[in-house]
Amino acid sequence: MEKTLTYGNISTIDFGNSASATIYKTEEGSSCFFGNGNETSDATISFQGKSYVVPAWSVSILPDCKNEAYNSAKITTQTSMMVKKPNEAEDSPSTLKWSWRPENMDNFLLKGKGESTKRQLFDQKVVSNDQWYITTIKFKKPDPFLGKSMSLRVNSTAHVIYAFVNGQHIGNQHAENGNFHYVFEKDVKFKSGRNVISLLSIILGLANYGAFFESKPAGNTGLISIIGRNGDETIVKDLSAHTWSYKTVESVPFKRTMTWYKATFKAPLGNNPVVIDLLGLGKGTAWVNGNNIGRYWPAFISSENGCSAKCNYRGDYHAEKCLTNCGEPTQRCFFEEMGGNPSLVSFQTTRVESVCANVYEKNIIELSCDMKSISAIKFASFINPDGNCGTFEKGTCESSNNTVDILTQECVGKEKPPDCNGAARRLVVKAIC
């Protein structure tokens, strides 16, 4: 097929209603692609004396222009629904005893010392997820800025920014609703003499789609300035070209920023995977037995709008398509950055509770309960079912036989379903583990 696609002559047939065939042909053979760009209707294509059903919004590949080898809508896969169970080895979180210590930040909060210096603000994505931007500024007593209403303004593209002046936390802000270009501004009092401005910029992942996504800035790369106001008079002091130092970051008090929390726990019973529910904490990084298990951000609640019980792959892709868990924390999977309550943290086990599958006729799907046996078939439907795993429902055309009984008795394939106007027939099933 590779030679045919590389050297073959290309021709196209338009069947109407957004259905088409693209043929690559050489003297040795031909390969075909059948496409259906219609978002709602399946297409029946007649080609060289045979009929082919191409589901809505899909492409079929026929290496020999006779037999379908692949269709983008007929990918067969299993969906596993997981459930969490409490740690039976101990009654967490009440049994967890926490110790703590604050992060030592004197060098870059009070002394203004970093690891490297530049007379510019640079893009953070080439360095680290967590980056300190540090600079110093001196005010002489007759400086017109002093005595006025003053604020620090940062044009940021970081996911989160924390701002400190002379070691004092003046505020923080995070990007909301996918808007990673925002202005952070807080009132601040500078003193006569040397002042240290320290900005902790945090990014959690980078853009991976869209036009020129690789060139999108990350961190504090925009204008950073001090704003002085006196009545109608406003003075702006641009700090962007200052010399900046940079440093990368690697009873228990609650709601304390930049704090290390530590506790020991008993390994949960059994062989199921262990998960840590970090609900109660704000945002930070977690370690278990010295291993970094990743970032968490339970305090960042996703929007309550945009989720739907049904998800349909058909149609153009966009970032808001097929959203789930609206109104829930984005990451709750310890270095606590934002301030939280570790007394709510718990260790749990997770296991497969049920499995779902969606398979088109003449294809094979294997269900697995992660080394456990299937105890029951909760739902099954054959012909044109609707919905997703957990919300499956029968469609407008259904097999005359009881699909649940057939699957329960392991007799799939013996039924003789009705024609249903030549539509592509598929089976959905939900099994309890």
Side-chain angles (χ1 to χ4, degrees):
M1 186 175 180
E2 180 180 353
K3 184 177 180 180
T4 305
L5 296 179
T6 305
Y7 298 101
N9 296 317
I10 305 173
S11 60
T12 302
I13 302 174
D14 187 354
F15 296 101
N17 199 25
S18 301
S20 63
T22 301
I23 302 99
Y24 294 78
K25 188 174 184 179
T26 66
E27 293 181 355
E28 300 175 359
S30 58
S31 298
C32 296
F33 293 82
F34 295 163
N36 181 8
N38 193 295
E39 297 183 19
T40 58
S41 301
D42 295 349
T44 300
I45 291 177
S46 296
F47 182 78
Q48 294 182 352
K50 292 183 64 176
S51 292
Y52 301 88
V53 176
V54 184
W57 199 259
S58 72
V59 176
S60 294
I61 302 176
L62 293 79
D64 56 0
C65 282
K66 297 179 181 178
N67 301 298
E68 179 186 289
Y70 172 85
N71 176 272
S72 58
K74 299 179 182 179
I75 299 174
T76 57
T77 184
Q78 171 180 304
T79 299
S80 298
M81 307 294 286
M82 311 299 292
V83 62
K84 296 177 183 177
K85 297 293 184 182
N87 182 3
E88 297 179 354
E90 60 180 345
D91 186 19
S92 65
S94 61
T95 56
L96 298 179
K97 306 300 180 184
W98 292 91
S99 59
W100 69 280
R101 70 169 177 84
E103 173 76 352
N104 185 359
M105 301 184 290
D106 288 351
N107 276 343
F108 34 98
L109 291 188
L110 298 176
K111 300 177 183 179
K113 294 182 179 180
E115 297 170 339
S116 61
T117 59
K118 290 180 179 292
R119 292 189 62 87
Q120 66 181 63
L121 298 167
F122 68 83
D123 198 325
Q124 182 181 341
K125 66 174 175 281
V126 299
V127 182
S128 171
N129 285 339
D130 295 354
Q131 181 77 28
W132 284 98
Y133 294 72
I134 311 161
T135 192
T136 60
I137 184 171
K138 291 183 178 180
F139 289 106
K140 297 180 179 179
K141 287 187 176 181
D143 195 296
F145 261 75
L146 293 178
K148 301 182 183 300
S149 174
M150 305 173 69
S151 63
L152 176 66
R153 180 184 295 171
V154 182
N155 288 268
S156 181
T157 55
H159 293 167
V160 187
I161 181 175
Y162 293 87
F164 300 80
V165 174
N166 297 327
Q168 299 297 314
H169 176 219
I170 65 169
N172 53 270
Q173 186 172 333
H174 67 261
E176 295 183 354
N177 301 323
N179 180 19
F180 297 112
H181 291 77
Y182 58 92
V183 177
F184 167 86
E185 184 168 356
K186 291 291 182 181
D187 293 338
V188 62
K189 290 185 179 181
F190 291 98
K191 63 184 181 180
S192 176
R194 181 174 179 269
N195 295 266
V196 179
I197 299 174
S198 306
L199 305 174
L200 176 57
S201 172
I202 301 171
I203 57 175
L204 286 87
L206 301 172
N208 57 9
Y209 71 93
F212 306 105
F213 70 86
E214 76 284 355
S215 63
K216 292 181 179 179
N220 298 322
T221 58
L223 180 68
I224 299 179
S225 55
I226 297 174
I227 312 298
R229 300 178 179 85
N230 187 12
D232 295 334
E233 181 185 14
T234 300
I235 303 175
V236 179
K237 184 182 288 291
D238 186 1
L239 304 179
S240 304
H242 265 227
T243 298
W244 288 87
S245 297
Y246 299 95
K247 185 183 186 311
T248 56
V249 179
E250 305 271 338
S251 96
V252 178
F254 298 158
K255 304 300 181 181
R256 182 187 177 101
T257 62
M258 306 303 168
T259 302
W260 291 92
Y261 292 106
K262 180 180 178 180
T264 59
F265 67 98
K266 293 182 180 180
L269 303 178
N271 297 319
N272 289 325
V274 178
V275 296
I276 307 176
D277 189 345
L278 297 172
L279 188 66
L281 294 181
K283 176 185 175 297
T285 309
W287 286 260
V288 173
N289 296 334
N291 298 304
N292 187 333
I293 62 172
R295 310 296 296 268
Y296 63 88
W297 198 356
F300 187 23
I301 306 299
S302 61
S303 172
E304 294 183 356
N305 302 317
C307 288
S308 174
K310 295 182 179 181
C311 174
N312 195 330
Y313 70 90
R314 298 166 178 167
D316 294 333
Y317 173 79
H318 52 85
E320 292 74 30
K321 190 171 186 175
C322 294
L323 296 180
T324 59
N325 298 323
C326 289
E328 297 293 330
T330 56
Q331 296 173 350
R332 50 185 284 192
C333 187
F334 280 106
F335 174 50
E336 174 61 34
E337 300 169 359
M338 185 174 287
N341 182 356
S343 68
L344 301 178
V345 172
S346 63
F347 292 83
Q348 305 169 350
T349 57
T350 181
R351 67 174 181 83
V352 179
E353 181 184 46
S354 60
V355 294
C356 300
N358 184 336
V359 57
Y360 276 84
E361 188 178 26
K362 298 181 181 179
N363 289 277
I364 298 174
I365 185 69
E366 294 184 1
L367 297 179
S368 172
C369 278
D370 193 21
M371 306 303 293
K372 297 180 180 66
S373 61
I374 295 175
S375 62
I377 301 296
K378 186 174 182 179
F379 178 89
S381 176
F382 181 57
I383 299 297
N384 66 345
D386 196 11
N388 305 304
C389 186
T391 62
F392 284 140
E393 57 186 29
K394 295 182 179 181
T396 57
C397 186
E398 177 67 16
S399 169
S400 59
N401 296 324
N402 191 314
T403 311
V404 172
D405 289 345
I406 293 174
L407 289 178
T408 301
Q409 299 169 15
E410 297 184 347
C411 293
V412 176
K414 289 187 177 181
E415 58 182 308
K416 298 180 180 179
D419 180 64
C420 294
N421 298 321
R425 298 178 296 191
R426 62 191 178 99
L427 167 73
V428 301
V429 56
K430 180 177 181 181
I432 305 301
C433 296

